[in-house]
Amino acid sequence: MRKNSIKNTRINGEVLKELSNIIRGEIKDPRIHPMTSVVTVEVSPDLKTCKAYISVLGDEQAQKDTIKGLKNAEGFIRSKLAKNINLRNTPEITFVLDQSIEYGVNMSRLIDEVNANGKETE
């Protein structure tokens, strides 16, 4: 199976959906911030590994704690994923902190500030 095949894209979407449901509803770890979202998932073509890009809306300490809590609950998450998705292999999940949403919000704020300063000088 190639990396960008239709089957791989469908598997990525299904794993993303199930992973989001598991993190949102089934993990009771207090370290995991309530505003945690799964941005994207990349399952390897052989279904052995999976990179899950996680975004946390909070300070740097909340982000570190959330990633630590998710890494600690990886076995539980993988077993739930195996029950919910029927795949030949259940991939090993690697959690990666994705700061693209936070970067976008920061850039939007900076643009708004520049626009406000431009209107003041007119």
Side-chain angles (χ1 to χ4, degrees), residues 58-120:
D59 61 344
E60 193 172 323
Q61 186 61 40
Q63 293 173 351
K64 287 179 183 178
D65 289 345
T66 298
I67 293 295
K68 198 178 291 184
L70 288 172
K71 286 181 180 177
N72 197 28
E74 183 182 346
F76 173 77
I77 293 170
R78 194 170 174 206
S79 68
K80 286 289 186 181
L81 202 59
K83 287 179 186 176
N84 295 339
I85 299 177
N86 187 17
L87 293 175
R88 187 176 344 119
N89 299 318
T90 304
E92 288 186 32
I93 305 167
T94 305
F95 295 103
V96 179
L97 185 62
D98 183 33
Q99 297 177 330
S100 61
I101 294 174
E102 183 179 340
Y103 178 77
V105 168
N106 189 28
M107 291 306 278
S108 178
R109 183 181 53 79
L110 290 173
I111 291 170
D112 290 343
E113 286 177 9
V114 168
N115 285 338
N117 288 339
K119 289 179 181 176
E120 289 175 3

